[in-house]
Amino acid sequence: MKKILLLLLFILYGCTKQVMEEDPSIYKDGSYTTIADGYGGDFEVTTTIENDEIVDIVVNDHNETPSIGGIAIESLIDAIKENNEQVDVISGATKTSTALIDAVNDALNSAKRDEY
């Protein structure tokens, strides 16, 4: 009886250890480039994800109005990196804001692991 109980404990320990060693992250680390459809046309957005967090967002050449869309882009990048969750659009630059948020969400969807 003791041998059977001991054997069961070893089996359970092995199963538990295997489950604990699986990668619990939701997203695959990496940089993901997506396209945003802004007010001034399309622009590229590269989102870098590490350990399930957005660590960097780079907006390549854009034709957004510098004093409106350009400022909105910079503000949103900071807010997204800081909060790593949903952010609101910037009033007066709704199209640009929505485009950037959608591009980052597209990157997150591309990075999402299959099991999620």
Side-chain angles (χ1 to χ4, degrees), residues 41-97:
D42 291 349
F43 56 91
E44 267 188 3
V45 178
T46 303
T47 305
T48 303
I49 301 167
E50 290 179 9
N51 301 319
D52 281 349
E53 290 189 12
I54 297 169
V55 294
D56 198 18
I57 300 170
V58 176
V59 173
N60 301 321
D61 298 325
H62 65 80
N63 292 317
E64 305 303 294
T65 307
S67 61
I68 301 170
I71 291 173
I73 287 171
E74 294 305 315
S75 296
L76 280 173
I77 288 173
D78 291 341
I80 293 169
K81 285 172 31 181
E82 217 173 276
N83 297 319
N84 267 290
E85 53 188 60
Q86 282 295 85
V87 294
D88 291 330
V89 297
I90 306 289
S91 180
T94 305
K95 176 110 172 122
T96 302
S97 300

Side-chain angles (χ1 to χ4, degrees), residues 5-18:
L5 183 58
L6 190 58
L7 180 61
L8 284 174
L9 286 174
F10 280 124
I11 290 171
L12 289 175
Y13 173 75
C15 291
T16 304
K17 185 176 178 184
Q18 184 179 3

